[in-house]
Amino acid sequence: MWTKAYWYSIALCTILIVVLMTGCGDRKKVEAQVEVNGKITAINEKGSFLVVSTDKFIDQDKKMPDAAWYSISDHAVIKFKGEKLQLNEVQIGSTVKVWTDGMMLTSYPGQAAGLGFEIIALDNGAGDASGIVTGLVSTGEGVNVERFIEIDGVKHRLLPFAQLRNGSEPAQFSDIIVGKQVKIWFAGYDFGTEKFVTKVVIAR
């Protein structure tokens, strides 16, 4: 015959198990949310953000900043000051906080899924460099096209998905003319002495 003490111990054990399971579930949920901070230095044709850290590096010489492409997952939300933003409202150069599931492809830059994005500071529109266009080069065709822009005698490579603007309006590579004043934004990581341009704004 089971006593009250027996049933009491069973109930107590059941409550304890439920509490432990709930605690473990919360802990797994917290551990799954990895926070990353950096600057959006590029937005590709798929709408993924290239986020480059300003204070974390993957090499001892501190020449390769921590950088990764973050795709926007199905239920991800982009916010600025508590308000939702559309993808086309996000500007290259903005500071962002990204939450991920912690899974990262080990390429450079890395690749991960973004679960949430919070814009901390908007880009100020100044660019990473500015000057006069002194040369333009375009080689190849289709997917093999390569474009270069020379600013004040310094040559830079335009990435295929680089954003081109004439003031605030969309522009084409053919709209960039030698002698024009431009502002440019860089990808934030380099290979050798070559810098990659991700945005060009032609002054009006």
Side-chain angles (χ1 to χ4, degrees):
M1 192 74 178
W2 292 323
T3 63
K4 285 185 177 180
Y6 173 82
W7 287 113
Y8 177 78
S9 62
I10 291 295
L12 189 61
C13 288
T14 302
I15 293 171
L16 183 60
I17 289 170
V18 170
V19 170
L20 287 174
M21 289 178 66
T22 303
C24 289
D26 291 343
R27 185 158 55 250
K28 286 180 181 178
K29 186 176 181 181
V30 170
E31 288 174 353
Q33 300 288 320
V34 177
E35 184 181 307
V36 178
N37 295 276
K39 186 168 76 168
I40 298 173
T41 62
I43 302 174
N44 68 15
E45 64 278 2
K46 296 179 180 179
S48 297
F49 297 152
L50 176 59
V51 178
V52 178
S53 175
T54 57
D55 58 2
K56 293 182 180 179
F57 299 84
I58 63 173
D59 64 326
Q60 292 183 344
D61 296 331
K62 295 186 176 181
K63 293 182 178 180
M64 297 179 69
D66 191 5
W69 284 101
Y70 293 94
S71 61
I72 301 175
S73 59
D74 292 340
H75 301 292
V77 175
I78 307 169
K79 288 188 176 183
F80 175 62
K81 293 184 176 179
E83 299 292 328
K84 289 184 180 180
L85 293 182
Q86 298 300 314
L87 177 60
N88 60 6
E89 296 178 292
V90 179
Q91 295 293 317
I92 290 173
S94 299
T95 304
V96 68
K97 184 183 293 184
V98 185
W99 286 269
T100 78
D101 59 7
M103 301 294 290
M104 177 76 71
L105 293 181
T106 56
S107 55
Y108 185 77
Q111 299 176 57
L115 304 179
F117 301 83
E118 181 182 353
I119 304 298
I120 305 301
L122 298 174
D123 176 55
N124 61 14
D128 296 317
S130 62
I132 301 297
V133 178
T134 52
L136 294 162
V137 177
S138 180
T139 63
E141 295 180 357
V143 295
N144 297 317
V145 68
E146 291 186 326
R147 299 174 299 175
F148 299 86
I149 184 170
E150 187 180 276
I151 309 293
D152 295 333
V154 181
K155 188 177 179 181
H156 308 295
R157 180 190 295 268
L158 269 71
L159 291 179
F161 44 79
Q163 294 182 359
L164 306 180
R165 299 282 188 271
N166 190 353
S168 59
E169 299 297 322
Q172 302 295 323
F173 185 70
S174 58
D175 295 323
I176 306 172
I177 301 171
V178 172
K180 280 282 191 177
Q181 177 81 25
V182 297
K183 294 181 287 188
I184 57 176
W185 284 251
F186 293 122
Y189 66 93
D190 312 320
F191 286 108
T193 58
E194 191 172 56
K195 288 184 179 292
F196 301 129
V197 175
T198 60
K199 184 178 179 179
V200 179
V201 174
I202 307 166
R204 285 185 168 179

